[in-house]
Amino acid sequence: MSYYFLLKNTTGEEFTVFISTPKKLDKRCIMYRTDGMELRLQSIVIFVSLFLFTLFPEGGHSAVPVSSADSNTGYIHLGPYLEIFEDHEKNFTFSRIISNRNRKLFSQNTIHSPSFGFTGSAFWVKFTLPPDMLHKKNLLLELDYPLMDHADIYVPDSRGEYTEKQYGSLKPFASRDLQHRNIVIKIPDDRTGGAPFYLRFENEDRMEFPLILWSEKAFRNNLYLEQFILGLYYGIMLVMMLYNLFIFFSVRDVSYLYYVLYILAMGIFQLGQNGFLYQLLAMFRDPPPVHFIPLTQGLLIAGILQFSQSYLNTKEYAKKFHLAMDILKACALVYIALFFVLGYTVSILIGVGITFAVIPVIMGSGITVVLKKYRPSYYFMAAWSVMFVAGFLFLLRVIAVIPHNTFTSYILHIGTTIEVILLSLGLGDRFNLIREERERISNELKIAKEIQSALIPRGIPSVKGITTHSEYIPMEEVGGDLFDYHVISDRCLGVLVADVSGHGVPAAIVASMVKVAFSLQVNHTRNPREVMTGMSNILSRDLAGTFITACYVCIDLETGKLSLARCGHLPLYIFSPRKGTLQQLSPAGSFISILPMREVEEEHIVISKSDRIIMITDGIIECRNRWGDIYGFQRFEGLIQEHAAMNPRAFSTKLIDSLSAWCFPAKNFDDDITLVVIDIE
């Protein structure tokens, strides 16, 4: 038994419902027909479909043969009216197509927007004007797909003869009936009423031909709406790009630059998909190069991956996905290069494959970082979730599960816009998070600097016959250099200079360990060799990946002798004005580390009044200028001799000024610098 129902919604749109009870089935099945598509579904799907129509009041935009609503709106989607023939060999001519014996080649189309994916076939399409549009004047036929290479139409005239017109992206843009991003064909008014129209499509990109028949007024009104929506979309993309570019120049966070490049790649890709890029390029060369989609797609894939890596900090939070993204970026770049070698269709298919590989990697990395509670990843997942929902709705529109209307036509643009806004908010939150982290680190560095400053001697040791001055300049807030005085008696002074490998907080922590080890040793012995050996025994157990150089000198004015021991440190300099000589002391001894240390040797020398003793770290010798040249021993030793008459403070100032001039225009030295100058009075 069969039943027919004619239903009308609140907007006056009509559609039919056909209900039948098959003899071989016990449960009722329903045939729901709208937009020319028939689906056998269970009863519940009808109610879902009716609900969707209430959500999308412009559902009448989809042409249905039994409905007259489209004649009132001024346009009809021709999908249900089309008869289609696939020419696999592409050898059918028009005369062969219209011959009587080939009339059965065509089969009735049943889907709203015919789509056949990537195929090497040509497609012939036949349709007659719907009765409601048969006698209308100034009709326009639009192919709502701008990437079609060849679109030939055969239009019947009043005598029943056919006129061929050739269009497509490989044809000059100026030859089009209307200067529009899509192919828009003027239907002649002097046509034969019931004669069919024929079209032939051939394409290297995907094959789809959504055809819309417009009245001139309806097309013009739709053009205004289209210009407004697309202008708003590209305007938002441009504003977001410029806004984030301005932020990049303000905060110098490279993630903003990657985001700008991502938006740029997305915009160019969408311009290509919408046909605007073809229209723009036609201003410079007509016909323009049209097979640019692999280039824009490859750049977009690389942009997405690079931005995602930077935004999610996958190198730290999702290392495996970071590696996968590096591989996919390399694939995208190879894909762009192969485009110039392989055919267009093969390149597009490779790009589609890479895209399907990118999606799970992007989502997997986002989920991984979310689980680690990295706050900006919440915006990232929300943005991509919106994009996937938009893509899903777009596919539902293509297969006519949901109606073709203004909302669903621009669903990808809406999704992209929301995604861009969410990611921009996420970048702002990420910047705030980084700023909070920097403030925390800055506060911790201030505390570390205060602690380290307590390790550095604040006053000048009081020893008769000795004048000293010291300089300590860390490369960062804190450093790994250390010096210390130990007053043995009123006529005897011990001085330590040490240098920990590395910079910053890790080196400063080890330097504090050196301070403790030194304090323990000098309380038990004044012998430099024993001090160095004892310090090495204490520190070597805990120096994985780090090493220390150190030098300890004992100046005894009662005996007039200087004793020195060192562990891999730079030589100690003694300048004697009376003799005019500059002497280096460098007893044997390897640096302090977890490796076995050779025996520390000790050297002794007689000192005289007016002698100058200088102890340094390698930051002075290895100070580099803009060309990478080091300050060097020769230049340092020359400065000692040239300015020997200066007191220790003045000499220290002169040396620091010389180093600053050497490394100009750099504002900071590239290593910690320590200098101790001792004059014997």
Side-chain angles (χ1 to χ4, degrees):
M1 184 174 294
S2 302
Y3 302 91
Y4 290 86
F5 295 92
L6 179 64
L7 304 180
K8 182 182 292 186
N9 63 10
T10 55
T11 62
E13 299 157 347
E14 299 177 351
F15 50 92
T16 58
V17 176
F18 169 60
I19 303 177
S20 65
T21 306
K23 296 179 181 180
K24 296 183 180 180
L25 294 176
D26 293 331
K27 56 183 180 181
R28 179 167 37 170
C29 295
I30 295 176
M31 183 78 72
Y32 174 62
R33 178 182 176 103
T34 181
D35 296 343
M37 184 185 74
E38 297 181 349
L39 299 171
R40 262 193 196 285
L41 300 168
Q42 298 297 330
S43 303
I44 188 65
V45 177
I46 280 197
F47 297 101
V48 174
S49 302
L50 294 176
F51 178 68
L52 285 173
F53 266 80
T54 61
L55 289 178
F56 304 105
E58 293 181 300
H61 288 193
S62 300
V64 184
V66 297
S67 174
S68 62
D70 292 314
S71 62
N72 297 325
T73 57
Y75 62 91
I76 292 178
H77 290 272
L78 292 177
Y81 296 93
L82 302 180
E83 296 179 52
I84 301 174
F85 164 60
E86 183 175 1
D87 181 6
H88 294 282
E89 303 299 328
K90 297 189 287 189
N91 56 6
F92 274 75
T93 62
F94 178 64
S95 59
R96 185 179 175 186
I97 284 291
I98 62 175
S99 64
N100 291 331
R101 62 181 178 179
N102 289 321
R103 288 182 177 179
K104 295 182 180 180
L105 292 174
F106 289 87
S107 58
Q108 182 65 44
N109 176 56
T110 58
I111 59 177
H112 173 270
S113 181
S115 179
F116 300 90
F118 293 91
T119 174
S121 303
F123 281 79
W124 289 88
V125 174
K126 179 174 68 172
F127 71 91
T128 55
L129 294 179
D132 295 334
M133 307 289 281
L134 190 60
H135 302 292
K136 287 184 176 293
K137 305 293 184 182
N138 301 323
L139 293 180
L140 300 172
L141 178 64
E142 179 184 9
L143 173 62
D144 193 14
Y145 176 60
L147 303 180
M148 184 65 68
D149 290 345
H150 299 280
D152 304 334
I153 184 171
Y154 301 87
V155 182
D157 59 20
S158 58
R159 297 169 296 178
E161 297 181 358
Y162 283 87
T163 302
E164 178 186 3
K165 294 184 177 181
Q166 295 184 344
Y167 303 91
S169 57
L170 296 181
K171 302 295 181 181
F173 183 79
S175 65
R176 294 188 176 186
D177 293 355
L178 293 180
Q179 304 295 295
H180 191 267
R181 63 186 182 89
N182 289 330
I183 297 174
V184 181
I185 304 168
K186 293 182 178 180
I187 302 297
D189 294 336
D190 58 340
R191 59 187 179 270
T192 301
F197 290 74
Y198 290 88
L199 296 102
R200 182 184 183 276
F201 298 109
E202 186 177 340
N203 200 20
E204 289 193 61
D205 209 305
R206 65 187 186 274
M207 178 62 70
E208 58 182 74
F209 33 88
L211 294 169
I212 309 173
L213 188 64
W214 297 89
S215 69
E216 185 179 15
K217 180 180 179 181
F219 179 80
R220 186 170 58 250
N221 292 337
N222 181 74
L223 184 61
Y224 294 151
L225 178 62
E226 176 187 273
Q227 290 176 340
F228 172 76
I229 294 176
L230 292 179
L232 182 64
Y233 169 74
Y234 287 110
I236 290 174
M237 297 290 281
L238 179 62
V239 168
M240 296 303 294
M241 187 175 69
L242 295 177
Y243 170 71
N244 285 280
L245 184 62
F246 172 78
I247 295 179
F248 165 71
F249 285 122
S250 300
V251 303
R252 299 294 178 176
D253 184 352
V254 72
S255 292
Y256 281 97
L257 179 60
Y258 292 145
Y259 186 50
V260 169
L261 295 177
Y262 164 58
I263 296 176
L264 179 61
M266 173 66 77
I268 294 175
F269 178 77
Q270 289 284 25
L271 285 172
Q273 292 291 322
N274 294 150
F276 289 114
L277 189 57
Y278 171 80
Q279 188 174 357
L280 177 65
L281 294 175
M283 298 172 59
F284 306 96
R285 175 185 170 186
D286 198 11
V290 295
H291 291 158
F292 43 69
I293 297 301
L295 298 178
T296 60
Q297 187 181 29
L299 291 174
L300 178 59
I301 291 173
I304 290 172
L305 293 170
Q306 184 63 49
F307 168 70
S308 299
Q309 284 181 315
S310 177
Y311 180 94
L312 293 175
N313 195 9
T314 53
K315 194 171 185 179
E316 177 180 351
Y317 293 111
K319 294 181 179 179
K320 292 183 179 179
F321 284 106
H322 184 84
L323 177 61
M325 289 184 185
D326 283 339
I327 295 173
L328 288 172
K329 280 192 299 183
C331 291
L333 297 178
V334 172
Y335 164 55
I336 294 174
L338 288 178
F339 163 64
F340 298 98
V341 179
L342 304 176
Y344 178 76
T345 303
V346 176
S347 298
I348 286 290
L349 291 175
I350 293 174
V352 171
I354 296 175
T355 301
F356 277 113
V358 166
I359 292 173
V361 170
I362 292 290
M363 296 303 292
S365 61
I367 293 171
T368 301
V369 178
V370 164
L371 293 177
K372 295 185 177 180
K373 301 186 184 304
Y374 181 55
R375 200 170 66 196
S377 63
Y378 302 149
Y379 290 92
F380 183 87
M381 290 303 298
W384 280 100
S385 297
V386 169
M387 274 300 299
F388 285 132
V389 170
F392 180 69
L393 291 176
F394 173 76
L395 292 177
L396 292 181
R397 192 213 72 179
V398 170
I399 64 175
V401 172
I402 62 176
H404 188 291
N405 54 54
T406 303
F407 176 76
T408 57
S409 295
Y410 298 101
I411 187 64
L412 289 181
H413 297 83
I414 295 172
T416 304
T417 302
I418 296 174
E419 181 206 28
V420 166
I421 294 173
L422 284 174
L423 289 177
S424 184
L425 293 174
L427 275 175
D429 184 65
R430 180 179 179 276
F431 174 73
N432 290 333
L433 193 64
I434 293 174
R435 184 175 59 184
E436 293 171 4
E437 182 69 11
R438 286 177 177 173
E439 290 177 354
R440 183 186 65 80
I441 293 174
S442 178
N443 291 333
E444 292 178 355
L445 284 175
K446 288 180 181 178
I447 296 173
K449 187 175 182 179
E450 292 175 359
I451 294 174
Q452 188 177 44
S453 64
L455 303 178
I456 303 298
R458 296 184 180 181
I460 299 174
S462 178
V463 177
K464 295 179 180 179
I466 294 178
T467 302
T468 67
H469 181 77
S470 59
E471 293 284 350
Y472 171 64
I473 305 175
M475 174 185 172
E476 300 175 5
E477 291 289 332
V478 291
D481 281 6
L482 176 73
F483 74 94
D484 199 6
Y485 299 114
H486 177 62
V487 179
I488 301 172
S489 69
D490 60 353
R491 298 283 289 171
C492 187
L493 175 67
V495 183
L496 171 76
V497 173
D499 185 1
V500 179
S501 62
H503 309 285
V505 174
I509 293 174
V510 177
S512 65
M513 296 168 57
V514 175
K515 169 75 172 182
V516 173
F518 175 68
S519 299
L520 291 174
Q521 294 304 306
V522 294
N523 289 330
H524 296 289
T525 181
R526 59 184 288 177
N527 182 276
R529 184 180 65 82
E530 294 178 356
V531 171
M532 288 287 95
T533 302
M535 288 177 59
S536 178
N537 292 335
I538 294 173
L539 296 170
S540 60
R541 298 189 297 266
D542 303 313
L543 292 180
T546 306
F547 64 88
I548 303 167
T549 66
C551 174
Y552 180 62
V553 61
C554 179
I555 305 170
D556 191 346
L557 297 185
E558 291 182 356
T559 62
K561 291 184 178 181
L562 178 148
S563 302
L564 172 69
R566 68 189 188 104
C567 293
H569 202 77
L570 294 179
L572 177 140
Y573 286 90
I574 301 177
F575 179 73
S576 177
R578 293 181 179 179
K579 301 177 182 178
T581 59
L582 180 63
Q583 187 176 1
Q584 294 184 14
L585 296 186
S586 52
S590 58
F591 54 78
I592 302 171
S593 69
I594 60 174
L595 300 175
M597 187 179 72
R598 62 182 293 186
E599 185 177 354
V600 177
E601 296 182 0
E602 185 173 303
E603 190 170 348
H604 305 275
I605 189 173
V606 176
I607 54 176
S608 304
K609 289 185 178 180
S610 72
D611 284 354
R612 171 165 289 176
I613 303 164
I614 301 175
M615 305 173 71
I616 61 173
T617 57
D618 59 3
I620 293 176
I621 302 301
E622 297 176 1
C623 179
R624 297 183 181 274
N625 61 15
R626 70 178 75 180
W627 297 283
D629 301 324
I630 63 173
Y631 192 76
F633 287 100
Q634 184 176 357
R635 190 172 282 100
F636 172 66
E637 293 168 1
L639 188 136
I640 293 176
Q641 295 173 324
E642 182 180 354
H643 301 285
M646 292 183 174
N647 61 44
R649 178 183 293 273
F651 173 78
S652 299
T653 302
K654 185 66 179 180
L655 176 59
I656 299 302
D657 289 344
S658 177
L659 292 172
S660 299
W662 177 255
C663 68
F664 181 84
K667 296 181 179 179
N668 298 318
F669 299 117
D670 52 7
D671 196 359
D672 302 329
I673 287 179
T674 298
L675 168 69
V676 178
V677 182
I678 306 167
D679 278 3
I680 307 299
E681 297 177 351

